[in-house]
Amino acid sequence: MIRNILGSLVALAGAASAVLSPFRDWYAGRAGQDYRVRDLFGGITATESGVLVSILLPFLFAALLVIAGVVVRSRIVVAFAGVVVLGFTILWMVRQGQAAGSLVVGGDGAGLQVGVANAAAGGVLMLIGALLMTGRGRGRERDGGRGRGRGARSAPEPYAAPAPDQVDTWPPTQEPGMSVQTTPWPEPEVDPYVGPDPQDGRTRSYPSHPSHPEAPSAESDPRDPVHPPHRPPPPPPPRQG
């Protein structure tokens, strides 16, 4: 985000420098707006030019490209605008050198002047701005800029179905019920208590009456095989008065 803002500012500064350059002197006191666009292809002449048909025209086109590239965050558009400005500036220098016999840089205004420097600097700034920009996000480039907003990201991919022997694992397998995270340790098996087993003689209840047919003897009582319980002795007979 910060790189996009910084690159956009640099590219816009380059566009402003390129647009202002034709209003300054380019060579021997002649302003850039006095050179016709057609002279860049047919040769420089002394004929004066109107503003809208001068070298200002391609620079205005490049400035519009920069604005469009900043709005859609397209590095290619901004870089193309910089190439246009530098291309027309170099083409003018070639034609001016052919017309004057040579190009010189003179401090007395007899050679290249500040307007050419502004145009060249504007093109370079546009290219630097394009390099600084990060462009659109990958998600917005895939859907042609029809993303769900600035910073929108694609939805995460769902987890693939696990193998048949790895059903209860994490992440969730989208199977019905709760997922269980496997561990390297075996899980304890809990045997819930459901009461005494009626078929087990060691755990079923014993009848209290000694005449019951299933009443166990003291020797076969499994509750205490070492010290089996004994019946209490009978009470003593009452004394005869």
Side-chain angles (χ1 to χ4, degrees), residues 168 180-187:
D168 294 334
V180 179
Q181 184 175 2
T182 58
T183 61
W185 307 104
E187 296 183 359

Side-chain angles (χ1 to χ4, degrees), residues 31-241:
Q33 62 181 350
D34 293 335
Y35 294 95
R36 297 181 300 177
V37 176
R38 57 185 296 183
D39 291 345
L40 301 180
F41 300 96
I44 301 295
T45 63
T47 306
E48 297 293 333
S49 172
V51 176
L52 296 181
V53 294
S54 66
I55 199 174
L56 176 64
L57 183 61
F59 291 172
L60 283 176
F61 174 73
L64 293 177
L65 286 179
V66 169
I67 295 175
V70 168
V71 170
V72 300
R73 290 188 294 177
S74 176
R75 304 173 61 185
I76 298 178
V77 175
V78 176
F80 178 72
V83 172
V84 169
V85 173
L86 289 178
F88 275 91
T89 303
I90 295 174
L91 180 61
W92 174 87
M93 294 175 66
V94 172
R95 293 301 185 185
Q96 181 62 41
Q98 293 176 349
S102 63
L103 287 177
V104 295
V105 180
D108 55 354
L112 296 174
Q113 294 183 293
V114 66
V116 181
N118 288 345
V124 172
L125 288 177
M126 292 179 192
L127 294 179
I128 294 176
L131 293 176
L132 291 176
M133 294 173 63
T134 57
R136 294 179 295 178
R138 295 180 178 179
R140 293 178 61 87
E141 288 179 355
R142 285 197 299 266
D143 59 9
R146 297 186 298 273
R148 290 171 291 180
R150 191 170 294 180
R153 298 180 180 178
S154 58
E157 296 291 337
Y159 294 106
D165 57 343
Q166 297 179 354
V167 177
D168 294 334
T169 56
W170 185 263
T173 59
Q174 299 181 355
E175 296 287 339
M178 298 180 61
S179 297
V180 179
Q181 184 175 2
T182 58
T183 61
W185 307 104
E187 296 183 359
E189 296 183 359
V190 179
D191 187 10
Y193 177 74
V194 295
D197 187 1
Q199 304 297 329
D200 191 353
R202 296 175 300 174
T203 59
R204 68 170 179 261
S205 60
Y206 298 96
S208 59
H209 198 277
S211 63
H212 196 279
E214 295 183 1
S217 62
E219 292 78 8
S220 63
D221 190 354
R223 290 175 292 181
D224 191 356
V226 179
H227 300 90
H230 299 276
R231 295 185 180 89
R239 293 182 180 183
Q240 299 293 330

